[in-house]
């Protein structure tokens, strides 16, 4: 009887996950091992991508001479890569086996720091009431979660995890209608609550994967608010780090894709193509394991914008074409992907064309996006209007100035840092015109909003 393809060990999901976090294929992993072995004067490995597949699937256990190089190239201890047998794990000191990694302590320290204090039950209730929940329902949801939080020694009730996930979903919906600083306070408080629940030992925690996924999503929302809405890149970077730690606990590839791709905007916006590219590699690697048509399309759009921002216009246009094609592919998408649809694709396409200097094409895409945009998407509307103003500036400065004033009005109503940072480009495009002078005046009037964000 053939044993080919037969699983002898549990699948090594940790090894698979950490390979994907590097953005590597199995072929790239074995190439890295070969380089490491060569650097240490060891003989040719004979490894192939199929060998790595068998390690990950559980058909084969990595030999000791390969295990040490896996630790080296992936930069993590053997236990974190699933490379220790049950007998080897049993040899660890007891304190090392307890949950509550350094990430949790660091997160608690961060969330209690001066820059993010002042949040708690009041902010939760305010946020939930703003979303349309009745006072009784809001108090019940928060109360159930708090009850679990303040009983660390007791067995977790599955309702606590359900309550936590309800708040997570509510805050996701509130992103489009809430004042960013208020929602960020609530999201960070919710993130602190989640880390408390995750600190429970596996023996007392129900629905651990579901909870870790909700914590990861909350950390992602916090990062989005910090960076895109409020321009606080250091806080966003830390929140992205916590999101990655939490998503690794639940193994949700689609959510990992969203986290890595959003994080790529941080280096992408400052022109660091290498760092942005590494994060995009991670996102695409996870997307190959789990993605629907919207997620695939959005990921191509993100890649296109970052390529356009870092001087790769040709590849950016190709990515937009792939984004259009992806909408017609199969699969299902998570409710978490509420920030992208065909209309948002048009907005991405317009921005990519604008960055490449193709103003007529940009104007067509951007007008299409504005025509189809959901009325509640005020944040995105201000971005699209500023981009459209820049696209029209060379051919019709008066029309562009009118559009820019509309964008300022949207921004005054719903401040969005990403849109505000579009103003200098529009000012340059309108330089020397009356509209340019009027925009400079409006920008000065908006500066207090930016300073307070």
């Amino acid at each position: 009887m053939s044993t080919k393809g037969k699983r002898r060990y549990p699948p090594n999901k940790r090894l698979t996950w950490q390979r994907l976090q590097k953005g590597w294929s199995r072929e790239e992993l074995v190439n890295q091992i070969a380089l490491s072995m060569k650097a240490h004067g060891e003989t040719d490995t004979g490894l192939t991508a199929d060998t790595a597949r068998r390690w990950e699937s559980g058909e084969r256990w990595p030999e000791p001479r390969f295990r040490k190089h896996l630790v080296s190239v992936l930069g993590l201890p053997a236990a974190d890569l699933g490379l220790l047998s049950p007998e080897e794990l049993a040899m660890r000191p007891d304190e090392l086996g307890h949950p509550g990694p350094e990430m949790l302590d660091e997160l608690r320290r961060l969330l209690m720091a001066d820059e993010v204090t002042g949040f708690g039950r009041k902010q939760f209730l305010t946020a939930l009431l703003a979303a349309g929940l009745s006072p009784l329902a809001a108090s019940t949801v928060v109360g159930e979660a708090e009850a679990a939080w303040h009983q660390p020694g007791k067995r977790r009730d599955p309702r606590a995890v359900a309550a936590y996930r309800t708040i997570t979903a509510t805050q996701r919906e509130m992103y489009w209608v809430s004042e960013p600083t208020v929602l960020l306070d609530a999201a960070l408080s919710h993130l602190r609550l989640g880390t408390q629940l995750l600190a429970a030992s596996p023996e007392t925690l129900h629905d651990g994967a579901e909870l870790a996924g909700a914590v990861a999503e909350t950390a992602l929302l916090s990062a989005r608010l910090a960076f895109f809405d409020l321009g606080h890149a250091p806080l966003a970077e830390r929140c992205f780090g916590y999101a990655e730690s939490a998503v690794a606990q639940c193994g949700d590839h689609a959510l990992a894709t969203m986290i890595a791709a959003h994080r790529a905007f941080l280096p992408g916006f400052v022109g660091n193509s290498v760092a942005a590219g590494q994060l995009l590699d991670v996102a695409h690697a996870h997307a190959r394991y789990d993605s629907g048509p919207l997620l695939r399309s959005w990921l191509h759009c993100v890649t296109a914008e970052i390529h356009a921002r870092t001087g790769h216009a040709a590849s950016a246009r190709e990515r937009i074409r792939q984004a259009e094609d992806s909408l017609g592919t199969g699969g299902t998408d998570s409710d978490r992907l509420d920030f992208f649809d065909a209309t948002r694709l048009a907005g991405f396409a317009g921005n990519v064309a604008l960055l490449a200097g193709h103003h007529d094409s940009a104007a067509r895409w951007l007008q299409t996006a504005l025509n189809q945009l959901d009325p509640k998407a005020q944040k995105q509307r201000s971005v699209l209007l500023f981009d459209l103003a820049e696209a029209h500036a060379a051919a019709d400065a008066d029309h562009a100035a009118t559009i820019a004033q509309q964008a300022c009005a949207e921004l005054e109503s719903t401040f969005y840092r990403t849109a505000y940072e579009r103003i200098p480009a529009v000012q340059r495009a309108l330089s020397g015109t009356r509209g340019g002078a009027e925009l400079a005046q409006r920008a000065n009037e908006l500066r207090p909003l930016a300073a307070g964000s």
Side-chain angles (χ1 to χ4, degrees):
M1 179 177 176
S2 172
T3 60
K4 185 176 180 180
K6 186 175 181 181
R7 183 181 299 167
R8 299 174 58 194
Y9 309 97
N12 193 338
K13 295 182 179 180
R14 292 189 177 189
L15 180 58
T16 301
W17 189 270
Q18 295 304 331
R19 171 177 63 78
L20 294 175
Q21 284 300 103
K22 290 287 189 180
W24 292 345
S25 65
R26 295 189 182 100
E27 184 68 38
E28 288 170 315
L29 175 63
V30 298
N31 287 342
Q32 291 294 323
I33 294 173
L35 290 172
S36 179
M37 296 187 77
K38 183 178 180 180
H40 288 82
E42 298 181 31
T43 58
D44 180 63
T45 66
L47 286 177
T48 66
D50 187 62
T51 307
R53 179 194 63 77
R54 295 171 70 188
W55 289 344
E56 293 179 0
S57 68
E59 296 174 32
R60 184 171 177 176
W61 189 263
E63 298 172 22
R65 70 186 184 117
F66 296 140
R67 287 164 62 182
K68 66 180 182 182
H69 290 287
L70 283 166
V71 167
S72 177
V73 301
L74 291 170
L76 290 169
D80 291 352
L81 296 173
L83 299 177
L84 298 183
S85 67
E87 294 77 13
E88 291 168 328
L89 287 170
M91 296 172 64
R92 295 189 301 177
D94 288 342
E95 61 269 19
L96 295 182
H98 291 313
E102 291 80 359
M103 182 272 290
L104 299 178
D105 292 334
E106 167 63 15
L107 182 53
R108 293 191 195 98
R109 183 200 64 74
L110 169 67
L111 298 183
M112 293 177 184
D114 289 341
E115 63 180 294
V116 289
T117 52
F119 48 77
R121 182 184 178 89
K122 181 178 178 181
Q123 281 75 12
F124 276 124
L125 290 172
T126 299
L128 293 173
L129 290 170
L133 272 70
S134 70
L136 177 60
S139 295
T140 299
V141 168
V142 175
E144 288 178 354
E146 284 184 330
W149 185 9
H150 293 299
Q151 298 180 41
K154 295 187 177 182
R155 190 174 183 83
R156 306 295 185 192
D157 191 316
R159 290 175 298 179
V161 175
Y164 188 90
R165 295 176 66 193
T166 297
I167 295 174
T168 298
T170 300
Q171 290 184 340
R172 180 203 316 145
E173 295 172 1
M174 292 172 56
Y175 176 79
W176 305 108
V177 296
S178 299
E179 202 282 317
T181 55
V182 173
L183 185 56
L184 178 59
D185 279 350
L188 288 172
S189 185
H190 193 46
L191 185 53
R192 181 176 66 175
L193 170 58
T195 64
Q196 292 282 347
L197 292 173
L198 280 178
S201 67
E203 301 83 44
T204 62
L205 180 61
H206 292 278
D207 303 322
E210 289 84 355
L211 175 61
V215 172
E217 183 182 352
T218 299
L220 173 58
L221 175 63
S222 301
R224 289 171 60 195
L225 285 161
F227 182 68
F228 295 101
D229 290 70
L230 303 173
H232 196 326
L235 178 58
E237 187 63 49
R238 287 193 289 264
C239 290
F240 276 126
Y242 304 134
E244 287 185 358
S245 296
V247 78
Q249 296 185 46
C250 67
D252 187 325
H253 291 290
L255 183 53
T257 298
M258 292 165 58
I259 291 167
H262 273 105
R263 193 174 191 175
F265 277 116
L266 272 69
F269 271 34
V270 296
N272 187 341
S273 60
V274 174
Q278 290 171 342
L279 288 165
L280 289 172
D281 286 346
V282 172
H284 283 282
H286 280 290
R288 286 192 286 271
Y289 278 74
D290 181 20
S291 61
L294 286 177
L295 183 57
R296 288 189 286 271
S297 180
W298 172 75
L299 183 53
H300 284 305
C301 284
V302 172
T303 305
E305 179 170 344
I306 291 175
H307 283 190
R309 286 181 175 274
T310 54
H312 300 90
S315 61
R317 291 194 297 273
E318 174 60 19
R319 287 290 184 174
I320 291 297
R321 186 194 64 76
Q322 291 175 321
E324 292 182 274
D325 291 344
S326 293
L327 288 180
T329 58
T332 58
D333 286 290
S334 166
D335 291 342
R336 294 184 178 116
L337 203 73
D338 64 346
F339 49 81
F340 184 78
D341 55 18
T343 300
R344 299 300 175 85
L345 189 159
F348 271 105
N351 182 248
V352 166
L354 182 63
L355 291 169
H358 302 147
H359 292 169
D360 289 344
S361 175
R364 288 192 296 271
W365 278 112
L366 292 164
Q367 191 61 60
T368 296
L370 282 164
N371 292 343
Q372 299 174 355
L373 194 65
D374 189 315
K376 74 176 184 179
Q378 290 176 284
K379 297 177 181 180
Q380 192 63 24
R381 185 176 303 279
S382 59
V383 171
L384 293 172
L385 285 169
F386 279 126
D387 282 353
L388 184 61
E390 184 181 354
H392 281 299
D396 190 341
D398 289 342
H399 183 44
T402 299
I403 296 171
Q405 291 297 324
Q406 293 172 5
C408 288
E410 293 283 352
L411 202 55
E412 193 170 27
S413 172
T414 303
F415 185 79
Y416 186 44
R417 187 83 188 196
T418 299
Y420 177 77
E421 292 178 353
R422 294 290 215 270
I423 294 178
V426 183
Q427 285 182 294
R428 288 192 295 271
L430 291 173
S431 178
T433 69
R434 184 180 64 180
E438 292 172 348
L439 180 58
Q441 181 179 345
R442 287 301 301 275
N444 286 332
E445 294 169 356
L446 291 167
R447 188 166 291 120
L449 289 176
S453 66

